[in-house]
């Protein structure tokens, strides 16, 4: 009887230990998940001692359930960060004109360098491993490694130009900044895509002066165009007058006495053939050219002569 009681106690203790072990395992184990577009930095925690790096996993995937496993997911898709140079952060140009602008940087993490990124460029904690804030770790790394050099290079490149020349050189300024940033990120986990400078803003009085100058220039160009049109119209009228004068000169040369006499005879021929007129020819004048008259024979009275 006593042995049976002892066996039951031992069995109960063993069963309790098994149940406790299962509970502890379930509580202490996990199956960390990495979504698509991310690389997971998997670590194993320790009850005593330090956590250790286990592996990288490329999403979408998970580790499978394991003891004290945790993952920090790092996005390997492009990020765009914008640095403002506005108000008190405005930059003086070469000719001391105060400029406001923005610099946009596009970059991403190299998938095969995520371990290096986690070990040397950012840190765990402050919710960075929180699934609700997976991109916080990249923001922290950007602030630690890229932000200040980028702002310094941007100021330096803009200050090499006169204020009103910046807009015309905005592409080359962006390329110069990109070249300098690429030099410091080339051997790091940061893969730089582009640096773009934009939203150039001048002080209001400068903008107004430029706008007024542009309006004046456009007005002068319009007046110049109108003057050119008037000149062309004048040339056109002169050419037309010259053409008319030349035509009149030709006509005057052709209107000789013989030509006029010929035209008069032709007109008389047409009158003779008309059934509504009575024509009387009186040979007078040089070469017998008659004076033409029309007599109405139906009415008494003297004939009417038309010259």
């Amino acid at each position: 009887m006593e042995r049976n009681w002892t066996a039951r106690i031992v069995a109960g203790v063993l069963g309790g230990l098994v149940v406790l072990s299962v509970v502890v395992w379930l509580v202490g184990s996990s199956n960390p998940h990495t979504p698509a577009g991310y690389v997971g930095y998997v670590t194993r925690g320790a009850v005593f001692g330090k956590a250790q790096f286990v592996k990288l996993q490329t999403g979408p995937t998970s580790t499978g359930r394991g003891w004290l496993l945790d993952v920090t997911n790092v996005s390997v898709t492009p990020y765009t960060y914008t640095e403002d140079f506005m108000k008190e952060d405005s930059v003086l140009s070469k000719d001391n004109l105060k400029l406001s602008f923005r610099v946009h940087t596009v970059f991403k993490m190299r998938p095969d360098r995520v371990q290096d990124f986690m070990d040397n460029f950012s840190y765990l904690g402050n919710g960075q491993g929180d699934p609700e804030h997976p991109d916080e770790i990249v923001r922290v790394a950007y602030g630690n490694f890229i932000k200040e050099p980028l702002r310094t290079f941007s100021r330096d490149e803009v200050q090499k130009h006169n204020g009103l020349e910046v807009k015309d050189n905005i592409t080359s300024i962006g390329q110069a900044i990109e070249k300098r940033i690429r030099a410091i990120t080339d051997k790091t986990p940061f893969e730089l895509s582009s640096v773009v400078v934009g939203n150039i803003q001048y002080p209001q009085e400068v903008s107004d002066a430029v706008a007024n100058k542009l309006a004046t220039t456009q007005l002068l160009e319009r007046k110049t165009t109108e003057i050119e049109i008037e000149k062309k119209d004048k040339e056109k009228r002169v050419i037309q007058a010259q053409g008319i004068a030349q035509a009149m000169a030709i006509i005057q040369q052709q209107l000789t006495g013989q030509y006029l006499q010929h035209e008069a005879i032709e007109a008389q021929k047409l009158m003779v053939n008309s059934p509504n007129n009575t024509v009387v020819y009186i040979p007078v004048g040089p070469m017998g050219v008659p004076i033409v008259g029309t007599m109405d024979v139906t009415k008494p009275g003297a004939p009417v002569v038309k010259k």
Side-chain angles (χ1 to χ4, degrees):
M1 187 71 178
E2 185 176 347
R3 289 181 179 179
N4 291 337
W5 178 252
T6 302
R8 289 179 181 179
I9 293 175
V10 171
V13 171
L14 291 176
L17 290 175
V18 170
V19 172
L20 179 62
S21 298
V22 171
V23 171
V24 171
W25 168 258
L26 292 176
V27 172
S29 64
S30 61
N31 182 20
H33 173 71
T34 298
Y38 288 79
V39 171
Y41 180 85
V42 182
T43 57
R44 187 186 305 278
V47 178
F48 303 101
K50 298 180 180 180
Q52 295 180 343
F53 169 74
V54 176
K55 65 176 182 177
L56 296 178
Q57 62 180 18
T58 302
T61 190
S62 62
T63 60
R65 183 164 291 276
W67 178 248
L68 295 180
L69 291 179
D70 192 16
V71 65
T72 299
N73 293 317
V74 178
S75 175
V76 291
T77 57
Y79 288 88
T80 299
Y81 283 89
T82 299
E83 294 298 327
D84 288 332
F85 295 84
M86 303 289 181
K87 297 181 180 179
E88 64 274 7
D89 292 326
S90 298
V91 177
L92 289 178
S93 62
K94 185 178 180 180
D95 54 355
N96 294 322
L97 184 62
K98 199 171 186 180
L99 301 177
S100 298
F101 58 95
R102 288 188 172 95
V103 178
H104 309 280
T105 306
V106 182
F107 68 95
K108 65 178 182 179
M109 294 296 110
R110 305 180 198 271
D112 59 339
R113 300 290 299 276
V114 169
Q115 182 180 357
D116 182 26
F117 169 75
M118 292 295 299
D119 292 343
N120 300 301
F121 292 89
S122 195
Y123 60 90
L124 297 175
N126 295 333
Q128 292 180 42
D130 187 346
E132 295 183 0
H133 304 89
D135 298 328
E136 179 67 12
I137 192 168
V138 176
R139 186 193 65 80
V140 172
Y142 168 84
N144 290 341
F145 189 72
I146 295 180
K147 181 176 181 177
E148 289 308 319
L150 175 66
R151 294 184 67 86
T152 299
F153 297 157
S154 299
R155 293 188 192 95
D156 185 45
E157 293 299 330
V158 169
Q159 289 172 342
K160 293 179 181 179
H161 299 269
N162 290 327
L164 297 179
E165 296 175 354
V166 170
K167 279 192 174 181
D168 295 332
N169 293 278
I170 192 170
T171 300
S172 60
I173 292 173
Q175 291 172 344
I177 298 171
E178 179 180 337
K179 182 178 179 180
R180 296 175 70 174
I181 289 293
R182 197 177 294 279
I184 67 173
T185 60
D186 189 46
K187 296 181 180 180
T188 71
F190 297 92
E191 183 177 339
L192 185 67
S193 297
S194 64
V195 175
V196 178
V197 180
N199 197 30
I200 305 295
Q201 296 181 10
Y202 295 98
Q204 188 61 44
E205 57 273 16
V206 175
S207 299
D208 292 342
V210 171
N212 291 335
K213 181 179 179 181
L214 179 60
T216 302
T217 301
Q218 292 176 340
L219 178 61
L220 289 175
E221 290 177 351
R222 182 167 62 84
K223 293 296 184 182
T224 301
T225 302
E226 291 175 355
I227 291 172
E228 291 298 322
I229 292 174
E230 290 295 331
K231 287 182 179 179
K232 294 299 181 182
D233 286 342
K234 178 181 177 181
E235 293 175 2
K236 178 181 177 181
R237 290 192 295 269
V238 170
I239 293 173
Q240 288 176 338
Q242 290 175 345
I244 294 172
Q246 291 175 359
M248 292 299 296
I250 294 172
I251 292 172
Q252 289 175 359
Q253 291 175 1
Q254 297 295 328
L255 293 178
T256 61
Q258 291 83 356
Y259 178 77
L260 294 175
Q261 183 178 1
H262 173 268
E263 290 296 311
I265 294 172
E266 291 298 320
Q268 291 167 14
K269 288 180 179 180
L270 293 174
M271 293 175 65
V272 169
N273 294 325
S274 175
N276 299 322
N277 294 286
T278 300
V279 181
V280 178
Y281 290 97
I282 302 175
V284 295
M287 300 183 67
V289 176
I291 297 175
V292 180
T294 301
M295 180 182 295
D296 188 354
V297 297
T298 62
K299 295 181 180 180
V304 178
V305 178
K306 295 181 181 179
K307 294 185 179 180

